[in-house]
């Protein structure tokens, strides 16, 4: 178990290192381009040369990379061009907002998709199973930006129940969180539900479930005591990997609802060529994704006794 | 007729029969049939766009015409016009051509790269596998849209860059699937037979092994087509897609969504269009899986 932890952790560090090199090469290999982005397109060559000189851009690329990585590890991501402030001042509050959105989404999505998946997988091929499957295909087929528009039309303009933007101008409000969460849940729950269904259906065909049914246990007890415990191991991994998808989803949803989160910040940065902000956001996003994947691997090993004790 | 051309024509007949059987099998799955019809509908619309579209998709006529309104030339704006006076029906029709050009090409490119990588990783194993899998791990650790945003904002928004970004981001996922399938198939007897005959590695990978791995790959390709359609829409929606004024469903939605209260049809029509196409691909994938599991 300890060896596995060390291995997974080393893997995670290695991936982060490669990602940081990739991002550096992509965005900063050409110092001239960086100067143009920071100082703007209408600056003179002398100004750019001076800026490059002052900020140490005349060194070799690998030296710059090491310096950049060192700053990154200390939480110094450089200054945002658009906001004229250190990236770290902006990033963390935005990340916290996205964290709230993500937690709310998971809080709704996990119970919903697990319940639907278990109900569908309990009796494979029943009408309940079929309708849950088809529903989940349909909701997964509506892209987030389309469902955002359709739901805004329905709930904001037609019924007038909810606010159409989630800028939270007057402080935090739960009601503004409803539509973004709904859009993310609609798009994402289908996948988890289908995975849960597959896992549940597989467990239901195992000999120990047949034995439990044949020895006359009440059906409810067979499901609760025997099936669920084994059927929910696989969805655990799927749910953890869903965080990676969620980080994509929040870009669309935050943009659609003007929610001041991390995804909107990344998009804003990329539309404005705000190079250091792009770097920081991408690094943080990959870090969150890789960290959850590592946790998923470790958690899966811990949950699955066949791996844990081998 | 030489033996070779006879062979080729027999093979072609076999392929045609294969497709006919596939459609015949699809009839057993209602879900698959619905999916197939949706996809065929949009493919036909895209193919015949110049004939079907009543107006030019970029001509500025009367702004904010409601669906069914009379056009200046005596025709009808069946789905109304947008804020710049462009006929929405024509834009949706031409937009289907945009998405049904980019999504299949991008998916095919991603498959070409992913299949070569996956076949090599699964067949050679060892360091080739380590390098390919390591590369895939790095790319797949990016939240996919973050990767798109970084690539597009570095290289600029253009059709070619969208193809490149989609290929770069999807090939590793395909590589993983192909690798798994090849690892499983490489120990079959027919592979050993081909090795004994002295066939080259590439012949074995692509002629002996790959055709036997096609089942799961077809289902995956169908799902991926749907997902790529979404991706192209998302990029248009975020303002990172094809430059205007060419019609692109995602871009249409983004341009008009602030006027949703004033003229909902401008935004809702492209939303329904993209959703129905993606639904088609997903239902078709589900149908194929259902039918292939049955035998």
């Amino acid at each position: 178990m300890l060896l596995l932890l060390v291995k997974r952790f080393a893997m995670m560090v290695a991936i982060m290192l490669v990602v940081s090199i990739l991002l550096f090469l992509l965005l900063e290999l050409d110092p001239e381009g960086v100067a143009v982005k920071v100082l703007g397109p209408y600056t003179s060559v002398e100004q750019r040369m001076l800026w490059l000189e002052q900020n140490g851009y005349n060194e070799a690329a690998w030296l710059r990379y090491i310096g950049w990585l060192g700053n990154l590890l200390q939480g110094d991501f450089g200054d945002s061009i658009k906001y004229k402030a250190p990236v770290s001042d902006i990033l963390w509050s935005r990340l916290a907002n996205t964290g709230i959105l993500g937690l709310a989404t998971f809080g709704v999505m996990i119970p919903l998709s697990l319940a639907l998946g278990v109900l569908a997988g309990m009796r494979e091929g029943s009408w309940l199973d079929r309708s849950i499957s088809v529903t989940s295909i349909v909701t997964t087929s509506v892209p987030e930006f389309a469902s955002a528009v359709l739901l805004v039309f329905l709930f904001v303009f037609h019924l007038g129940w909810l606010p159409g933007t989630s800028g939270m101008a007057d402080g935090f409000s739960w009601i503004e969180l409803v539509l973004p969460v709904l859009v993310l849940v609609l798009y994402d729950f289908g996948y988890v539900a289908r995975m849960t269904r597959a896992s549940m259906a597989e467990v239901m065909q195992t000999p120990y479930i047949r034995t439990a049914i044949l020895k006359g246990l009440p059906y409810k007890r067979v499901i609760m005591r025997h099936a669920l415990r084994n059927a929910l191991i696989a969805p655990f991994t799927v749910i953890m990997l869903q965080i990676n998808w969620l980080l994509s989803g929040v870009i669309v949803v935050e943009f659609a609802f003007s929610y001041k989160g991390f995804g909107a910040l990344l998009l804003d940065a990329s539309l404005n060529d705000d190079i250091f902000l792009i770097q920081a956001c991408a690094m943080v996003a990959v870090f969150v994704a890789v960290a959850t994947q590592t946790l998923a691997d470790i958690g899966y090993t811990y949950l699955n006794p066949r791996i844990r004790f081998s | 007729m030489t033996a070779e051309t006879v062979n080729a024509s027999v093979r072609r007949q076999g392929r045609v029969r294969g497709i006919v059987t596939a459609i015949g099998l699809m009839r057993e799955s209602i879900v698959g049939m619905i999916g197939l019809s949706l996809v065929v509908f949009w493919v036909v619309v895209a193919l015949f766009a110049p004939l079907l579209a009543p107006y030019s998709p970029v001509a500025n006529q009367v702004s904010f015409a409601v669906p069914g309104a009379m056009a200046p030339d005596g025709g009808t704006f069946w789905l109304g016009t947008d804020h710049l006076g462009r006929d929405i029906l024509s834009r949706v029709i031409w937009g289907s051509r945009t998405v049904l050009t980019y999504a299949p090409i991008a998916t095919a490119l991603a498959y070409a790269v992913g299949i070569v990588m996956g076949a090599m990783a699964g067949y050679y194993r060892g360091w080739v596998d380590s390098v390919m899998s390591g590369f895939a791990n790095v790319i797949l650790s990016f939240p996919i849209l973050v990767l798109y945003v970084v690539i597009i904002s570095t290289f600029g928004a253009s059709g070619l860059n969208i193809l490149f970004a989609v290929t770069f981001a999807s090939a590793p996922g395909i590589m993983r699937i192909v690798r798994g399938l090849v690892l499983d198939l490489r120990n079959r007897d027919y592979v050993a037979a081909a090795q004994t005959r002295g066939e080259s590695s590439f012949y074995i990978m692509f002629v002996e092994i790959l055709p036997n791995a096609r089942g799961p790959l077809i289902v995956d390709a169908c799902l991926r087509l749907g997902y790529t359609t979404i991706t192209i829409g998302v990029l248009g929606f975020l303002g990172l897609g094809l430059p205007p004024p060419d019609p692109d469903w995602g871009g249409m939605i983004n341009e008009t969504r602030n006027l949703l209260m004033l003229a909902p049809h401008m935004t809702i029509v492209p939303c329904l269009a993209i959703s129905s196409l993606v639904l088609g691909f997903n239902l078709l994938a589900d149908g194929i899986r259902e039918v292939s599991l049955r035998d």
Side-chain angles (χ1 to χ4, degrees), chain B residues 248-273:
Chain B
D248 154 56
W249 291 345
M252 287 170 74
I253 295 170
N254 186 36
E255 280 172 33
T256 57
R257 70 192 176 99
N258 289 329
L259 302 165
L260 189 62
M261 190 163 65
L262 197 64
H265 64 275
M266 301 191 307
T267 323
I268 288 179
V269 173
C271 279
L272 296 179

Short mmCIF file of all heavy atoms in Angstrom, two decimals, chain B residues 248-273:
data_model
loop_
_atom_site.label_atom_id
_atom_site.label_comp_id
_atom_site.label_asym_id
_atom_site.label_seq_id
_atom_site.Cartn_x
_atom_site.Cartn_y
_atom_site.Cartn_z
N ASP B 248 -22.18 29.17 -38.02
CA ASP B 248 -21.67 28.09 -37.17
C ASP B 248 -22.60 28.09 -35.97
O ASP B 248 -22.85 29.14 -35.37
CB ASP B 248 -20.21 28.44 -36.82
CG ASP B 248 -19.75 27.83 -35.53
OD1 ASP B 248 -19.84 26.61 -35.39
OD2 ASP B 248 -19.29 28.59 -34.66
N TRP B 249 -23.20 26.93 -35.68
CA TRP B 249 -24.29 26.87 -34.70
C TRP B 249 -23.90 27.48 -33.35
O TRP B 249 -24.63 28.26 -32.76
CB TRP B 249 -24.76 25.43 -34.52
CG TRP B 249 -25.46 24.88 -35.73
CD1 TRP B 249 -25.95 25.62 -36.77
CD2 TRP B 249 -25.76 23.52 -36.01
NE1 TRP B 249 -26.52 24.78 -37.69
CE2 TRP B 249 -26.43 23.49 -37.25
CE3 TRP B 249 -25.53 22.32 -35.35
CZ2 TRP B 249 -26.87 22.31 -37.83
CZ3 TRP B 249 -25.97 21.15 -35.92
CH2 TRP B 249 -26.63 21.14 -37.15
N GLY B 250 -22.70 27.10 -32.86
CA GLY B 250 -22.27 27.63 -31.56
C GLY B 250 -22.15 29.15 -31.60
O GLY B 250 -22.59 29.85 -30.70
N GLY B 251 -21.55 29.65 -32.69
CA GLY B 251 -21.39 31.10 -32.83
C GLY B 251 -22.74 31.80 -32.92
O GLY B 251 -22.94 32.86 -32.32
N MET B 252 -23.70 31.19 -33.64
CA MET B 252 -25.03 31.79 -33.75
C MET B 252 -25.66 31.95 -32.38
O MET B 252 -26.28 32.97 -32.07
CB MET B 252 -25.94 30.89 -34.61
CG MET B 252 -25.64 30.91 -36.09
SD MET B 252 -26.56 29.62 -36.97
CE MET B 252 -28.21 30.33 -36.96
N ILE B 253 -25.49 30.92 -31.54
CA ILE B 253 -26.09 30.96 -30.21
C ILE B 253 -25.46 32.07 -29.39
O ILE B 253 -26.14 32.85 -28.72
CB ILE B 253 -25.93 29.59 -29.51
CG1 ILE B 253 -26.72 28.54 -30.27
CG2 ILE B 253 -26.39 29.66 -28.07
CD1 ILE B 253 -26.46 27.12 -29.82
N ASN B 254 -24.14 32.18 -29.46
CA ASN B 254 -23.47 33.21 -28.67
C ASN B 254 -23.83 34.61 -29.14
O ASN B 254 -24.05 35.51 -28.33
CB ASN B 254 -21.95 33.01 -28.74
CG ASN B 254 -21.23 33.95 -27.81
OD1 ASN B 254 -21.73 34.25 -26.73
ND2 ASN B 254 -20.09 34.44 -28.23
N GLU B 255 -23.92 34.79 -30.46
CA GLU B 255 -24.21 36.13 -30.99
C GLU B 255 -25.58 36.63 -30.57
O GLU B 255 -25.80 37.83 -30.43
CB GLU B 255 -24.18 36.11 -32.53
CG GLU B 255 -22.82 36.16 -33.15
CD GLU B 255 -22.90 35.94 -34.65
OE1 GLU B 255 -23.91 36.34 -35.27
OE2 GLU B 255 -21.97 35.34 -35.20
N THR B 256 -26.53 35.69 -30.43
CA THR B 256 -27.90 36.14 -30.26
C THR B 256 -28.45 35.93 -28.86
O THR B 256 -29.56 36.36 -28.57
CB THR B 256 -28.82 35.36 -31.23
OG1 THR B 256 -28.66 33.97 -30.97
CG2 THR B 256 -28.46 35.66 -32.66
N ARG B 257 -27.69 35.30 -27.96
CA ARG B 257 -28.32 34.89 -26.71
C ARG B 257 -28.66 36.08 -25.80
O ARG B 257 -29.53 35.99 -24.94
CB ARG B 257 -27.47 33.88 -25.96
CG ARG B 257 -26.22 34.44 -25.38
CD ARG B 257 -25.31 33.34 -24.93
NE ARG B 257 -24.08 33.91 -24.46
CZ ARG B 257 -23.80 34.12 -23.17
NH1 ARG B 257 -24.67 33.79 -22.26
NH2 ARG B 257 -22.66 34.65 -22.82
N ASN B 258 -27.99 37.23 -26.00
CA ASN B 258 -28.34 38.38 -25.18
C ASN B 258 -29.69 38.97 -25.58
O ASN B 258 -30.23 39.82 -24.88
CB ASN B 258 -27.26 39.46 -25.29
CG ASN B 258 -26.00 39.02 -24.58
OD1 ASN B 258 -26.08 38.29 -23.60
ND2 ASN B 258 -24.85 39.43 -25.08
N LEU B 259 -30.19 38.55 -26.74
CA LEU B 259 -31.49 39.05 -27.21
C LEU B 259 -32.56 37.98 -27.02
O LEU B 259 -33.60 38.04 -27.65
CB LEU B 259 -31.37 39.43 -28.69
CG LEU B 259 -30.29 40.47 -28.97
CD1 LEU B 259 -29.96 40.53 -30.44
CD2 LEU B 259 -30.75 41.83 -28.47
N LEU B 260 -32.29 37.03 -26.12
CA LEU B 260 -33.18 35.89 -25.94
C LEU B 260 -34.60 36.32 -25.58
O LEU B 260 -35.57 35.74 -26.04
CB LEU B 260 -32.61 34.97 -24.84
CG LEU B 260 -33.28 33.63 -24.67
CD1 LEU B 260 -33.14 32.80 -25.91
CD2 LEU B 260 -32.65 32.87 -23.50
N MET B 261 -34.71 37.37 -24.76
CA MET B 261 -36.03 37.80 -24.32
C MET B 261 -36.78 38.44 -25.49
O MET B 261 -37.97 38.24 -25.67
CB MET B 261 -35.91 38.78 -23.17
CG MET B 261 -37.23 39.08 -22.52
SD MET B 261 -37.05 39.82 -20.91
CE MET B 261 -36.28 41.36 -21.30
N LEU B 262 -36.04 39.17 -26.30
CA LEU B 262 -36.63 39.93 -27.40
C LEU B 262 -37.07 39.00 -28.53
O LEU B 262 -38.17 39.11 -29.05
CB LEU B 262 -35.57 40.92 -27.91
CG LEU B 262 -36.03 42.07 -28.77
CD1 LEU B 262 -36.95 42.96 -27.96
CD2 LEU B 262 -34.81 42.83 -29.26
N ALA B 263 -36.17 38.09 -28.92
CA ALA B 263 -36.44 37.25 -30.09
C ALA B 263 -35.86 35.85 -29.85
O ALA B 263 -34.80 35.52 -30.34
CB ALA B 263 -35.81 37.87 -31.33
N PRO B 264 -36.58 35.05 -29.04
CA PRO B 264 -36.03 33.75 -28.63
C PRO B 264 -35.71 32.81 -29.79
O PRO B 264 -34.78 32.02 -29.70
CB PRO B 264 -37.12 33.15 -27.74
CG PRO B 264 -38.33 33.97 -27.98
CD PRO B 264 -37.89 35.30 -28.44
N HIS B 265 -36.47 32.92 -30.92
CA HIS B 265 -36.26 31.96 -32.00
C HIS B 265 -34.83 32.01 -32.55
O HIS B 265 -34.31 31.00 -32.99
CB HIS B 265 -37.26 32.22 -33.13
CG HIS B 265 -37.08 33.55 -33.78
ND1 HIS B 265 -37.65 34.70 -33.27
CD2 HIS B 265 -36.37 33.93 -34.86
CE1 HIS B 265 -37.32 35.72 -34.03
NE2 HIS B 265 -36.53 35.29 -35.00
N MET B 266 -34.18 33.18 -32.50
CA MET B 266 -32.83 33.32 -33.05
C MET B 266 -31.85 32.37 -32.38
O MET B 266 -30.93 31.86 -32.99
CB MET B 266 -32.31 34.75 -32.86
CG MET B 266 -33.16 35.80 -33.50
SD MET B 266 -32.32 37.39 -33.52
CE MET B 266 -31.86 37.64 -31.82
N THR B 267 -32.05 32.16 -31.07
CA THR B 267 -31.11 31.35 -30.30
C THR B 267 -31.58 29.90 -30.18
O THR B 267 -30.76 28.98 -30.20
CB THR B 267 -30.95 31.94 -28.89
OG1 THR B 267 -30.99 33.35 -28.99
CG2 THR B 267 -29.65 31.51 -28.28
N ILE B 268 -32.89 29.74 -30.05
CA ILE B 268 -33.39 28.40 -29.75
C ILE B 268 -33.24 27.46 -30.95
O ILE B 268 -32.92 26.28 -30.78
CB ILE B 268 -34.85 28.49 -29.26
CG1 ILE B 268 -34.82 29.09 -27.85
CG2 ILE B 268 -35.52 27.13 -29.24
CD1 ILE B 268 -36.16 29.28 -27.23
N VAL B 269 -33.42 27.99 -32.16
CA VAL B 269 -33.32 27.13 -33.34
C VAL B 269 -31.95 26.46 -33.45
O VAL B 269 -31.86 25.23 -33.56
CB VAL B 269 -33.70 27.91 -34.61
CG1 VAL B 269 -33.43 27.07 -35.85
CG2 VAL B 269 -35.15 28.32 -34.57
N PRO B 270 -30.84 27.22 -33.40
CA PRO B 270 -29.54 26.52 -33.46
C PRO B 270 -29.29 25.59 -32.27
O PRO B 270 -28.61 24.57 -32.43
CB PRO B 270 -28.50 27.64 -33.51
CG PRO B 270 -29.21 28.89 -33.20
CD PRO B 270 -30.66 28.69 -33.49
N CYS B 271 -29.85 25.93 -31.09
CA CYS B 271 -29.72 25.03 -29.93
C CYS B 271 -30.35 23.68 -30.24
O CYS B 271 -29.77 22.62 -29.96
CB CYS B 271 -30.45 25.60 -28.71
SG CYS B 271 -29.53 26.84 -27.83
N LEU B 272 -31.55 23.72 -30.80
CA LEU B 272 -32.23 22.47 -31.11
C LEU B 272 -31.49 21.72 -32.22
O LEU B 272 -31.39 20.49 -32.19
CB LEU B 272 -33.68 22.74 -31.55
CG LEU B 272 -34.56 23.36 -30.48
CD1 LEU B 272 -35.97 23.61 -31.02
CD2 LEU B 272 -34.63 22.47 -29.24
N ALA B 273 -30.94 22.46 -33.17
CA ALA B 273 -30.23 21.82 -34.27
C ALA B 273 -29.04 21.03 -33.74
O ALA B 273 -28.90 19.83 -34.03
CB ALA B 273 -29.76 22.88 -35.27
#
